Amino acid sequence: MSDYDYDLFTIGAGSGGVRASRVAAAHGAKVAVAEEYRVGGTCVIRGCVPKKLLVYGSHFAEELQDAAHYGWTVAGMSFDWATLRDTVLRDVDRLNAAYTQTLENNGVERFLERATITGPHSVRLASGREITAKVILVAVGAWPVLPEFPGVEHCITSNEVFHLPELPRRVLIQGAGYIAMEFAGIFNALGSQVTVVNRSDQILRGYDESLRDRLLQITMARGIEYKFNCPITEVVRQDDGSFLVTAGRKDPVAVDTVLIATGRKPNTAGLGLENAGIVPGEKGEIPVDEHSRTTCPSIYAVGDVTDRVQLTPVAIREGQAFADTVFGNMPRTVDYTCIPSAVFSQPPLAGVGLTEGQARNRHGNVKVFTSDFRPMKNVFAGRMERGLYKLVVDANTDRVLGVHLIGPEAPEILQAAAIAVKAGLTKVDFDATVALHPSMAEELVLMK
């Protein structure tokens, strides 16, 4: 008989926690998981999945406008926010049930309440029950950061934006990262007047500069207004329910919704880490080694709570590696190089590997190949927006160090290109590949 109630107790049933729990159970461990809200985590419940569905919904505004060029007559067009919102939320319900079923099918016991750490091998549920476990896994993810200024209580974050009672006529978004740019595109396409304010003078730090510049130009042409070096200093609620927002030294702006998208921080507050001798980092993150083990040998952590790479597929890989290592006798680590990422802005952009700036800093001698083109669909519809594809190549070895794309379906195209970059293929390998015509993706193998 074990000295503990469970072999593994997981705190948090998001992507990383669910993967780790079910794989550990498949390896024969007795597993339980605690989740204080809903099974599925940020991505499924209040993040990338419902947001991508909103992106799809907003695309119809452009598609319906372009339909006439393809012979379609669409009369009486109108949009109902409540229909889209409720359809998205129903799909969230479906996914919550699917993730729950996955745990159930694998024999993982579930506690739908908050759990906190009380020691190296113990947790306490919100109901007061004490539980012991040989190993504890923390997979509680991250939470939106709210800056401090008068009236911040009137603002919403990406957690609440999916539940808006109606489509706001005027939206102000603070931040210029991927969350901010994606929601700016959604609201702009749906007809809202969108203003983006940011404390710095650039958007999407970390992405290739050429793509960032192109996205800025296109979104400004689409009607999104930007105010740089202008963090919000005050939000005042008006008698009619609207808000007067002061940002930087600019004149106040009247809006209906203020969305804060200034980043996310590890969700470790009140978790009880101190009871196991674990000291969080400056951002609240849990320090771990290459096997996701904390400074307490019986406690591990995966996903956004470690602040290594805040991406769902990374959390899943970390959860898999943890379970295989600790319960499957198959030690694994996660390779964090060449991780592809995308921004589902409008148009979307995606990248993998080194940006041009990063490549020049690390390798010095690099070659850059670009294709600046007008997608066929845009030509036929009379839209002037241009796509931009970019290959960053090591001039000494001919190895492709990075691929960066902006244009329709860029994320879908990049996934295959990411395999090539990860495999260390060269520009000659790209050139030797026959083009798939007519497609936008063919530009990847036609650059000279």
CSV table of all heavy atoms in Angstrom, one decimal, residues 146-168:
chain,number,residue,atom,x,y,z
A,146,LEU,N,-3.1,43.5,-14.9
A,146,LEU,CA,-3.8,44.8,-14.9
A,146,LEU,C,-2.9,45.8,-14.3
A,146,LEU,O,-2.4,45.7,-13.2
A,146,LEU,CB,-5.0,44.7,-14.0
A,146,LEU,CG,-6.3,44.1,-14.7
A,146,LEU,CD1,-7.4,44.0,-13.7
A,146,LEU,CD2,-6.7,45.0,-15.9
A,147,PRO,N,-2.6,46.9,-15.1
A,147,PRO,CA,-1.8,48.0,-14.6
A,147,PRO,C,-2.5,48.7,-13.5
A,147,PRO,O,-3.8,48.6,-13.4
A,147,PRO,CB,-1.5,48.8,-15.8
A,147,PRO,CG,-2.6,48.5,-16.7
A,147,PRO,CD,-3.0,47.1,-16.5
A,148,GLU,N,-1.9,49.6,-12.8
A,148,GLU,CA,-2.5,50.4,-11.7
A,148,GLU,C,-2.7,51.8,-12.2
A,148,GLU,O,-1.8,52.5,-12.6
A,148,GLU,CB,-1.7,50.4,-10.5
A,148,GLU,CG,-1.5,49.1,-9.8
A,148,GLU,CD,-0.7,49.1,-8.5
A,148,GLU,OE1,-0.3,50.3,-8.1
A,148,GLU,OE2,-0.4,48.1,-7.9
A,149,PHE,N,-4.0,52.2,-12.3
A,149,PHE,CA,-4.4,53.6,-12.6
A,149,PHE,C,-5.8,53.8,-12.1
A,149,PHE,O,-6.6,52.8,-12.0
A,149,PHE,CB,-4.2,53.9,-14.1
A,149,PHE,CG,-5.0,53.0,-15.0
A,149,PHE,CD1,-6.4,53.1,-15.2
A,149,PHE,CD2,-4.3,52.0,-15.7
A,149,PHE,CE1,-7.0,52.3,-16.0
A,149,PHE,CE2,-5.0,51.2,-16.5
A,149,PHE,CZ,-6.4,51.3,-16.7
A,150,PRO,N,-6.2,55.0,-11.8
A,150,PRO,CA,-7.6,55.3,-11.4
A,150,PRO,C,-8.6,54.8,-12.4
A,150,PRO,O,-8.5,55.2,-13.6
A,150,PRO,CB,-7.6,56.8,-11.2
A,150,PRO,CG,-6.2,57.2,-11.0
A,150,PRO,CD,-5.4,56.3,-11.8
A,151,GLY,N,-9.6,54.0,-12.0
A,151,GLY,CA,-10.6,53.6,-12.9
A,151,GLY,C,-10.3,52.3,-13.6
A,151,GLY,O,-11.1,51.8,-14.4
A,152,VAL,N,-9.3,51.6,-13.2
A,152,VAL,CA,-8.9,50.3,-13.8
A,152,VAL,C,-10.0,49.3,-13.6
A,152,VAL,O,-10.2,48.3,-14.4
A,152,VAL,CB,-7.6,49.8,-13.3
A,152,VAL,CG1,-7.7,49.3,-11.8
A,152,VAL,CG2,-7.1,48.6,-14.1
A,153,GLU,N,-10.8,49.5,-12.5
A,153,GLU,CA,-11.9,48.5,-12.2
A,153,GLU,C,-13.0,48.6,-13.3
A,153,GLU,O,-13.8,47.7,-13.4
A,153,GLU,CB,-12.5,48.8,-10.9
A,153,GLU,CG,-13.3,50.1,-10.8
A,153,GLU,CD,-12.4,51.3,-10.4
A,153,GLU,OE1,-11.1,51.2,-10.5
A,153,GLU,OE2,-12.9,52.4,-10.1
A,154,HIS,N,-13.0,49.6,-14.1
A,154,HIS,CA,-14.0,49.7,-15.2
A,154,HIS,C,-13.5,48.9,-16.5
A,154,HIS,O,-14.3,48.8,-17.4
A,154,HIS,CB,-14.2,51.1,-15.6
A,154,HIS,CG,-14.7,52.0,-14.5
A,154,HIS,ND1,-15.8,51.6,-13.7
A,154,HIS,CD2,-14.3,53.2,-14.0
A,154,HIS,CE1,-16.0,52.6,-12.8
A,154,HIS,NE2,-15.1,53.5,-12.9
A,155,CYS,N,-12.3,48.4,-16.5
A,155,CYS,CA,-11.7,47.8,-17.7
A,155,CYS,C,-12.0,46.3,-17.6
A,155,CYS,O,-12.2,45.7,-16.6
A,155,CYS,CB,-10.2,48.1,-17.7
A,155,CYS,SG,-9.8,49.9,-17.7
A,156,ILE,N,-11.9,45.7,-18.8
A,156,ILE,CA,-12.0,44.2,-18.9
A,156,ILE,C,-10.7,43.7,-19.4
A,156,ILE,O,-9.8,44.4,-20.0
A,156,ILE,CB,-13.1,43.8,-19.8
A,156,ILE,CG1,-12.9,44.2,-21.3
A,156,ILE,CG2,-14.5,44.3,-19.3
A,156,ILE,CD1,-13.9,43.6,-22.3
A,157,THR,N,-10.5,42.4,-19.3
A,157,THR,CA,-9.3,41.7,-19.9
A,157,THR,C,-9.8,40.6,-20.9
A,157,THR,O,-11.0,40.5,-21.1
A,157,THR,CB,-8.5,41.0,-18.8
A,157,THR,OG1,-9.3,39.9,-18.3
A,157,THR,CG2,-8.2,41.9,-17.6
A,158,SER,N,-8.9,39.9,-21.4
A,158,SER,CA,-9.3,38.8,-22.3
A,158,SER,C,-10.1,37.7,-21.7
A,158,SER,O,-10.8,36.9,-22.4
A,158,SER,CB,-8.0,38.2,-22.9
A,158,SER,OG,-7.1,37.7,-21.9
A,159,ASN,N,-10.2,37.7,-20.3
A,159,ASN,CA,-11.1,36.8,-19.6
A,159,ASN,C,-12.5,37.1,-19.9
A,159,ASN,O,-13.4,36.2,-20.0
A,159,ASN,CB,-10.8,36.7,-18.1
A,159,ASN,CG,-9.5,36.0,-17.8
A,159,ASN,OD1,-8.8,35.4,-18.7
A,159,ASN,ND2,-9.1,36.1,-16.5
A,160,GLU,N,-12.8,38.4,-19.8
A,160,GLU,CA,-14.2,38.8,-19.9
A,160,GLU,C,-14.7,39.2,-21.3
A,160,GLU,O,-15.9,39.3,-21.5
A,160,GLU,CB,-14.4,40.1,-19.0
A,160,GLU,CG,-14.1,39.8,-17.5
A,160,GLU,CD,-12.7,39.9,-17.1
A,160,GLU,OE1,-11.9,40.7,-17.8
A,160,GLU,OE2,-12.2,39.2,-16.2
A,161,VAL,N,-13.8,39.4,-22.2
A,161,VAL,CA,-14.2,39.9,-23.5
A,161,VAL,C,-15.2,39.0,-24.2
A,161,VAL,O,-16.0,39.4,-25.1
A,161,VAL,CB,-13.0,40.2,-24.4
A,161,VAL,CG1,-12.3,38.9,-24.8
A,161,VAL,CG2,-13.3,41.1,-25.6
A,162,PHE,N,-15.1,37.7,-23.9
A,162,PHE,CA,-16.0,36.7,-24.6
A,162,PHE,C,-17.4,36.8,-24.1
A,162,PHE,O,-18.3,36.1,-24.7
A,162,PHE,CB,-15.4,35.3,-24.4
A,162,PHE,CG,-14.1,35.1,-25.0
A,162,PHE,CD1,-13.0,35.1,-24.1
A,162,PHE,CD2,-13.8,35.0,-26.3
A,162,PHE,CE1,-11.7,34.9,-24.6
A,162,PHE,CE2,-12.5,34.9,-26.8
A,162,PHE,CZ,-11.5,34.8,-26.0
A,163,HIS,N,-17.7,37.5,-23.1
A,163,HIS,CA,-19.0,37.6,-22.5
A,163,HIS,C,-19.7,39.0,-22.6
A,163,HIS,O,-20.6,39.2,-21.9
A,163,HIS,CB,-18.9,37.2,-21.0
A,163,HIS,CG,-18.3,35.8,-20.8
A,163,HIS,ND1,-19.0,34.7,-20.8
A,163,HIS,CD2,-17.0,35.5,-20.6
A,163,HIS,CE1,-18.2,33.6,-20.6
A,163,HIS,NE2,-17.0,34.1,-20.4
A,164,LEU,N,-19.2,39.8,-23.5
A,164,LEU,CA,-19.7,41.1,-23.6
A,164,LEU,C,-21.2,41.0,-24.0
A,164,LEU,O,-21.6,40.3,-24.9
A,164,LEU,CB,-19.0,41.9,-24.7
A,164,LEU,CG,-17.6,42.4,-24.4
A,164,LEU,CD1,-16.9,43.0,-25.6
A,164,LEU,CD2,-17.6,43.4,-23.2
A,165,PRO,N,-22.1,41.8,-23.3
A,165,PRO,CA,-23.5,41.7,-23.6
A,165,PRO,C,-23.9,42.2,-25.0
A,165,PRO,O,-24.9,41.8,-25.6
A,165,PRO,CB,-24.2,42.6,-22.5
A,165,PRO,CG,-23.1,43.5,-22.1
A,165,PRO,CD,-21.8,42.7,-22.2
A,166,GLU,N,-23.1,43.1,-25.5
A,166,GLU,CA,-23.3,43.6,-26.9
A,166,GLU,C,-22.0,44.0,-27.5
A,166,GLU,O,-21.0,44.3,-26.8
A,166,GLU,CB,-24.3,44.8,-26.9
A,166,GLU,CG,-23.9,45.9,-26.0
A,166,GLU,CD,-24.9,47.0,-25.9
A,166,GLU,OE1,-26.1,46.7,-26.0
A,166,GLU,OE2,-24.6,48.2,-25.6
A,167,LEU,N,-22.0,44.2,-28.8
A,167,LEU,CA,-20.8,44.6,-29.5
A,167,LEU,C,-20.6,46.1,-29.3
A,167,LEU,O,-21.5,46.9,-29.6
A,167,LEU,CB,-21.0,44.4,-31.0
A,167,LEU,CG,-19.8,44.8,-31.9
A,167,LEU,CD1,-18.6,43.9,-31.6
A,167,LEU,CD2,-20.1,44.7,-33.4
A,168,PRO,N,-19.5,46.5,-28.7
A,168,PRO,CA,-19.2,47.9,-28.4
A,168,PRO,C,-19.0,48.7,-29.7
A,168,PRO,O,-18.3,48.2,-30.6
A,168,PRO,CB,-18.0,47.9,-27.5
A,168,PRO,CG,-17.3,46.6,-27.8
A,168,PRO,CD,-18.4,45.6,-28.2
